[in-house]
Amino acid sequence: MESTGLVTIICIAFNHEEWIEETLESVLRQDYYQKELIVVDNGSTDGTAEKIKNWVNRSSEHLPVEAIFYEEMQPYCQLFNQILSRINSQYVVDLSGDDVLYPDHLQSSISELKMVPYAGFVFSDAYVLDQMGEVTTFYKRNLSGDLIEEIELSNIYETLIQKNLICSPTVVFNTTILRREGGYDESLYYEDFDIQVRLSRNHPVVFSNHIGVLKRKHNKSMSAGQYQSYHSKMLPSTVKVCSKILGMNIYPEENQALKRRILYELKHSLWSANFDSAKDLVDLGNELGIKNLRFLFYKLWASLRWDISWLYMKLTD
């Protein structure tokens, strides 16, 4: 039976020894008190597991917490779904072991979700900390801290197809809806693009205008390898999600948004010499009827497999 108001934070960590204690402490310090934590070390080869054990020993009397340890890495989406299937909370958070929740994040987010109980999830703004130590907000704000552009939710499905609008660590899910939609797609290497699109297809989405999370960008993160030269693990999943979107689309505007996404992903696939993914994207583009000069050039590039990934690596360093 679902426990009303309870939120489960699922924190899956891999080689996060530098940050994991701060991450877990940020869960403990939330000013939302109906919470529980499930922390997983997913086969780390550094000191992450030991730091989790030490933190749990110090803090478990202040917070319901379960710690799980794997000797070998498990597929992320599959691991998350296993935990999702057995929790009984009303809300759930997927927290990486290198990100930090600000104290009011859960309270602010869940307050918004309670006003729209049939929403699939709520998201908010975040601070993004890069490897140079520079901090920016995910959404542009003026000197007074106000959003420069309003977050438009009326066409959220179409927007998410076209571009990455949401900082995924800020998301708080409605557990029942997430489970009803099948949780994460276990055939994918990563989850956020797919789950955001699928939930927004069938459910409203809510935005909370607060800065709820510190998101770290570093070369150990999963997203850092999105366009890794030759062997991106993420691009094949991106292609699969685009194919799924084509099957979900209803209106011409949605197909136009998918065309823009395919051209974007195709460009990066070619620049990074991920030619198998590029070929699959070309096939999707053909199915959608893309015929502009840019696409024709990309088709030629994909067929001839021009490898200029050395230049791409220099430009993206």
Side-chain angles (χ1 to χ4, degrees):
M1 182 176 178
E2 184 182 277
S3 181
T4 303
L6 180 66
V7 57
T8 300
I9 299 93
I10 301 173
C11 178
I12 300 176
F14 175 74
N15 287 352
H16 288 148
E17 66 173 346
E18 186 176 349
W19 310 288
I20 186 62
E21 289 177 312
E22 184 181 5
T23 298
L24 298 178
E25 197 67 22
S26 77
V27 176
L28 178 62
R29 296 184 181 278
Q30 289 297 297
D31 57 16
Y32 186 86
Y33 298 105
Q34 288 180 268
K35 60 182 182 287
E36 63 181 9
L37 170 65
I38 300 175
V39 55
V40 182
D41 177 69
N42 194 16
S44 295
T45 56
D46 62 2
T48 301
E50 190 63 29
K51 292 204 170 185
I52 291 173
K53 291 174 184 176
N54 291 338
W55 186 88
V56 170
N57 288 337
R58 294 194 308 268
S59 306
S60 58
E61 64 184 65
H62 305 295
L63 172 74
V65 56
E66 176 185 356
I68 303 169
F69 301 92
Y70 287 95
E71 292 186 4
E72 296 183 359
M73 178 184 283
Q74 307 299 306
Y76 192 94
C77 295
Q78 177 181 321
L79 179 54
F80 182 88
N81 281 351
Q82 287 174 359
I83 300 170
L84 177 67
S85 68
R86 62 181 179 83
I87 63 175
N88 65 350
S89 53
Q90 187 173 3
Y91 310 107
V92 63
V93 172
D94 181 359
L95 178 65
S96 175
D98 55 352
D99 294 330
V100 175
L101 306 179
Y102 289 115
D104 65 339
H105 178 57
L106 294 179
Q107 180 66 55
S108 299
S109 299
I110 291 171
S111 293
E112 295 290 337
L113 270 182
K114 284 181 177 178
M115 290 190 286
V116 190
Y118 43 87
F121 62 87
V122 60
F123 66 100
S124 65
D125 201 356
Y127 284 119
V128 180
L129 173 64
D130 69 18
Q131 294 187 85
M132 304 300 293
E134 296 184 7
V135 178
T136 56
T137 51
F138 187 81
Y139 303 111
K140 292 182 180 180
R141 293 178 179 265
N142 60 28
L143 294 177
S144 300
D146 299 319
L147 290 170
I148 292 176
E149 295 182 5
E150 182 181 355
I151 306 300
E152 177 57 56
L153 298 176
S154 60
N155 295 316
I156 186 68
Y157 172 74
E158 183 181 321
T159 302
L160 290 174
I161 293 170
Q162 182 176 329
K163 64 180 181 179
N164 300 323
L165 176 72
I166 295 173
C167 184
S168 57
T170 70
V171 169
V172 180
F173 292 104
N174 179 316
T175 306
T176 298
I177 291 175
L178 180 59
R179 273 203 288 247
R180 188 187 305 147
E181 295 292 334
Y184 291 165
D185 183 340
E186 295 183 11
S187 70
L188 302 176
Y189 183 74
Y190 72 103
E191 76 295 336
D192 49 358
F193 180 26
D194 176 68
I195 196 61
Q196 290 170 15
V197 169
R198 282 197 287 122
L199 290 183
S200 66
R201 170 81 283 178
N202 299 317
H203 304 277
V205 171
V206 180
F207 174 69
S208 179
N209 189 10
H210 72 278
I211 300 175
V213 172
L214 175 69
K215 168 66 178 174
R216 287 188 170 92
K217 292 178 68 176
H218 54 85
N219 56 17
K220 294 181 181 179
S221 66
M222 184 184 296
S223 60
Q226 185 171 11
Y227 303 115
Q228 178 185 356
S229 295
Y230 304 112
H231 304 295
S232 169
K233 294 180 179 179
M234 297 182 72
L235 271 170
S237 289
T238 300
V239 174
K240 183 169 184 177
V241 176
C242 288
S243 181
K244 291 171 68 175
I245 289 169
L246 181 57
M248 290 189 289
N249 282 354
I250 299 171
Y251 303 109
E253 295 82 4
E254 295 166 356
N255 280 342
Q256 288 300 319
L258 182 56
K259 288 177 182 179
R260 288 188 282 271
R261 168 69 78 159
I262 286 173
L263 287 170
Y264 177 84
E265 300 295 348
L266 182 52
K267 175 182 72 174
H268 287 284
S269 297
L270 291 166
W271 272 95
S272 60
N274 283 280
F275 294 116
D276 289 341
S277 293
K279 179 184 179 302
D280 291 338
L281 288 164
V282 166
D283 290 342
L284 274 174
N286 286 332
E287 190 173 351
L288 274 164
I290 305 177
K291 295 180 180 178
N292 58 38
L293 289 176
R294 181 181 170 193
F295 182 65
L296 293 175
F297 172 69
Y298 287 164
K299 285 177 67 173
L300 179 62
W301 187 347
S303 66
L304 297 177
R305 295 191 168 224
W306 294 325
D307 184 353
I308 55 172
S309 57
W310 57 272
L311 179 58
Y312 181 76
M313 293 173 66
K314 285 187 177 182
L315 292 173
T316 55
D317 277 345

